[in-house]
Protein backbone atom coordinates (compact mmCIF):
# COMPACT_ATOMS: atom_id res chain seq x y z
CA UNK A 1 0.00 0.00 0.00
CA UNK A 2 3.02 2.22 0.11
CA UNK A 3 3.62 2.12 -3.64
CA UNK A 4 6.37 0.54 -5.68
CA UNK A 5 9.28 2.72 -4.58
CA UNK A 6 9.25 2.56 -0.83
CA UNK A 7 12.91 3.37 -0.57
CA UNK A 8 14.81 5.40 -3.16
CA UNK A 9 18.54 5.63 -2.59
CA UNK A 10 18.23 5.25 1.18
CA UNK A 11 15.50 7.81 1.76
CA UNK A 12 11.77 7.42 2.15
CA UNK A 13 9.67 9.09 -0.54
CA UNK A 14 7.24 11.81 0.53
CA UNK A 15 4.12 9.76 -0.07
CA UNK A 16 5.14 7.12 2.52
CA UNK A 17 4.84 9.45 5.54
CA UNK A 18 1.53 10.84 4.18
CA UNK A 19 0.04 7.37 3.76
CA UNK A 20 1.38 6.22 7.10
CA UNK A 21 0.01 9.27 8.91
CA UNK A 22 -3.40 8.76 7.29
CA UNK A 23 -3.35 5.13 8.34
CA UNK A 24 -2.36 5.94 11.92
CA UNK A 25 -5.01 8.68 12.15
CA UNK A 26 -7.74 6.44 10.76
CA UNK A 27 -6.84 3.64 13.19
CA UNK A 28 -6.81 6.09 16.10
CA UNK A 29 -10.26 7.34 15.14
CA UNK A 30 -11.57 3.84 14.61
CA UNK A 31 -10.29 2.29 17.84
CA UNK A 32 -9.47 5.20 20.09
CA UNK A 33 -12.50 7.44 19.75
CA UNK A 34 -15.36 6.75 22.12
CA UNK A 35 -18.37 5.11 20.56
CA UNK A 36 -21.38 7.31 19.99
CA UNK A 37 -24.21 6.36 22.30
CA UNK A 38 -27.36 5.84 20.32
CA UNK A 39 -30.36 6.62 22.50
CA UNK A 40 -33.31 4.30 22.32
CA UNK A 41 -36.15 4.58 24.79
CA UNK A 42 -36.87 1.75 27.15
CA UNK A 43 -40.34 1.31 28.52
CA UNK A 44 -39.29 -1.40 30.97
CA UNK A 45 -40.18 0.84 33.92
CA UNK A 46 -43.83 0.98 32.83
CA UNK A 47 -46.51 -1.69 33.01
CA UNK A 48 -47.22 -1.78 29.29
CA UNK A 49 -49.98 -4.35 29.71
CA UNK A 50 -51.97 -2.09 32.06
CA UNK A 51 -53.72 1.23 31.49
CA UNK A 52 -54.99 3.78 33.97
CA UNK A 53 -57.16 6.88 33.58
CA UNK A 54 -56.16 9.90 35.67
CA UNK A 55 -58.15 13.10 36.14
CA UNK A 56 -56.27 15.98 37.68
CA UNK A 57 -55.07 19.55 37.65
CA UNK A 58 -52.02 20.55 35.66
CA UNK A 59 -49.13 21.62 37.85
CA UNK A 60 -46.61 22.06 35.02
CA UNK A 61 -45.97 21.07 31.41
CA UNK A 62 -42.35 20.76 30.22
CA UNK A 63 -42.39 20.79 26.41
CA UNK A 64 -38.86 19.54 25.80
CA UNK A 65 -36.60 17.19 23.87
CA UNK A 66 -36.09 14.21 24.20
CA UNK A 67 -39.17 13.79 26.43
CA UNK A 68 -41.91 16.15 27.53
CA UNK A 69 -43.32 15.92 31.04
CA UNK A 70 -46.82 16.64 32.29
CA UNK A 71 -46.96 17.21 36.06
CA UNK A 72 -50.43 16.60 37.52
CA UNK A 73 -52.00 16.95 40.95
CA UNK A 74 -54.47 14.12 41.46
CA UNK A 75 -57.02 14.38 44.26
CA UNK A 76 -57.96 11.01 45.72
CA UNK A 77 -61.22 9.86 47.28
CA UNK A 78 -60.09 11.04 50.72
CA UNK A 79 -59.25 14.52 49.33
CA UNK A 80 -55.52 13.76 49.62
CA UNK A 81 -53.48 15.29 46.81
CA UNK A 82 -50.74 13.38 45.04
CA UNK A 83 -48.29 14.68 42.43
CA UNK A 84 -47.98 12.56 39.29
CA UNK A 85 -45.28 12.77 36.59
CA UNK A 86 -46.48 11.76 33.13
CA UNK A 87 -43.75 11.06 30.56
CA UNK A 88 -44.66 12.09 27.03
CA UNK A 89 -42.90 11.98 23.69
CA UNK A 90 -40.59 14.81 22.68
CA UNK A 91 -41.42 17.94 20.73
CA UNK A 92 -40.70 16.40 17.29
CA UNK A 93 -43.37 13.75 17.89
CA UNK A 94 -45.90 15.94 19.73
CA UNK A 95 -45.83 18.94 17.38
CA UNK A 96 -47.30 17.10 14.33
CA UNK A 97 -50.09 15.80 16.59
CA UNK A 98 -51.10 19.37 17.40
CA UNK A 99 -49.59 19.53 20.87
CA UNK A 100 -47.82 22.84 21.38
CA UNK A 101 -46.15 24.54 24.33
CA UNK A 102 -49.51 26.05 25.33
CA UNK A 103 -51.27 22.65 25.18
CA UNK A 104 -52.16 22.97 28.87
CA UNK A 105 -51.46 25.63 31.47
CA UNK A 106 -51.06 25.32 35.25
CA UNK A 107 -54.49 25.08 36.82
CA UNK A 108 -56.15 23.42 33.79
CA UNK A 109 -58.01 20.16 34.39
CA UNK A 110 -57.24 17.20 32.16
CA UNK A 111 -58.05 13.51 31.76
CA UNK A 112 -55.05 11.36 30.83
CA UNK A 113 -54.66 7.72 29.76
CA UNK A 114 -51.33 6.27 30.92
CA UNK A 115 -49.39 3.05 31.35
CA UNK A 116 -48.57 3.20 35.08
CA UNK A 117 -45.02 2.98 36.39
CA UNK A 118 -43.92 -0.20 38.13
CA UNK A 119 -43.78 -0.27 41.90
CA UNK A 120 -46.92 1.82 42.56
CA UNK A 121 -45.00 5.02 41.93
CA UNK A 122 -47.06 8.09 40.96
CA UNK A 123 -45.89 8.25 37.34
CA UNK A 124 -46.96 6.98 33.98
CA UNK A 125 -46.34 6.89 30.25
CA UNK A 126 -48.78 9.10 28.33
CA UNK A 127 -51.03 7.44 25.78
CA UNK A 128 -53.70 10.06 25.22
CA UNK A 129 -55.62 12.87 26.85
CA UNK A 130 -58.67 15.10 26.68
CA UNK A 131 -58.77 18.61 28.11
CA UNK A 132 -61.66 20.48 29.72
CA UNK A 133 -62.70 21.92 26.31
CA UNK A 134 -63.01 18.40 24.87
CA UNK A 135 -59.86 18.56 22.68
CA UNK A 136 -58.41 15.06 22.33
CA UNK A 137 -54.82 14.04 21.68
CA UNK A 138 -53.26 10.61 21.22
CA UNK A 139 -55.29 7.54 22.14
CA UNK A 140 -58.20 9.40 23.70
CA UNK A 141 -61.15 7.31 22.52
CA UNK A 142 -63.47 6.68 25.44
CA UNK A 143 -61.94 9.40 27.64
CA UNK A 144 -64.34 11.94 29.11
CA UNK A 145 -63.41 15.60 29.58
CA UNK A 146 -62.75 16.39 33.24
CA UNK A 147 -65.46 18.03 35.32
CA UNK A 148 -64.63 21.65 36.15
CA UNK A 149 -63.92 22.24 39.82
Amino acid sequence: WFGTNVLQFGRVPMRFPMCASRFVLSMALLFGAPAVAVGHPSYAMYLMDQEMVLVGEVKDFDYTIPHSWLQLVITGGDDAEQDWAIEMEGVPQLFPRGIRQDYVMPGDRITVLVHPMRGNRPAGLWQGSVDSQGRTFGRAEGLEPPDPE
Side-chain angles (χ1 to χ4, degrees):
W1 65 230
F2 295 115
T4 55
N5 297 327
V6 174
L7 293 175
Q8 287 181 336
F9 305 111
R11 55 188 181 98
V12 178
M14 192 60 175
R15 70 176 179 215
F16 177 78
M18 295 292 279
C19 290
S21 63
R22 280 190 208 136
F23 176 76
V24 170
L25 179 61
S26 64
M27 290 299 112
L29 289 174
L30 180 65
F31 295 111
V36 175
V38 177
H40 183 72
S42 170
Y43 300 117
M45 68 181 99
Y46 299 105
L47 297 168
M48 299 303 284
D49 59 340
Q50 296 179 23
E51 292 183 337
M52 175 184 255
V53 176
L54 302 171
V55 179
E57 183 177 310
V58 175
K59 185 175 182 180
D60 194 20
F61 178 52
D62 298 319
Y63 191 62
T64 57
I65 297 174
H67 300 279
S68 294
W69 289 91
L70 179 61
Q71 307 293 330
L72 297 179
V73 177
I74 307 297
T75 304
D78 56 356
D79 289 336
E81 292 184 345
Q82 187 176 34
D83 290 344
W84 276 71
I86 310 302
E87 181 179 0
M88 300 176 74
E89 296 168 319
V91 174
Q93 291 79 26
L94 295 176
F95 190 86
R97 293 183 179 185
I99 297 178
R100 306 291 190 267
Q101 194 165 6
D102 61 352
Y103 160 61
V104 287
M105 302 304 274
D108 289 352
R109 294 194 42 82
I110 190 168
T111 303
V112 181
L113 176 67
V114 299
H115 290 299
M117 185 175 268
R118 294 181 186 277
N120 283 337
R121 291 183 274 182
L125 179 64
W126 179 83
Q127 296 301 297
S129 57
V130 58
D131 64 14
S132 57
Q133 288 124 22
R135 294 182 303 169
T136 60
F137 297 95
R139 285 189 36 229
E141 51 285 330
L143 294 180
E144 296 291 325
D147 293 330
E149 278 191 7

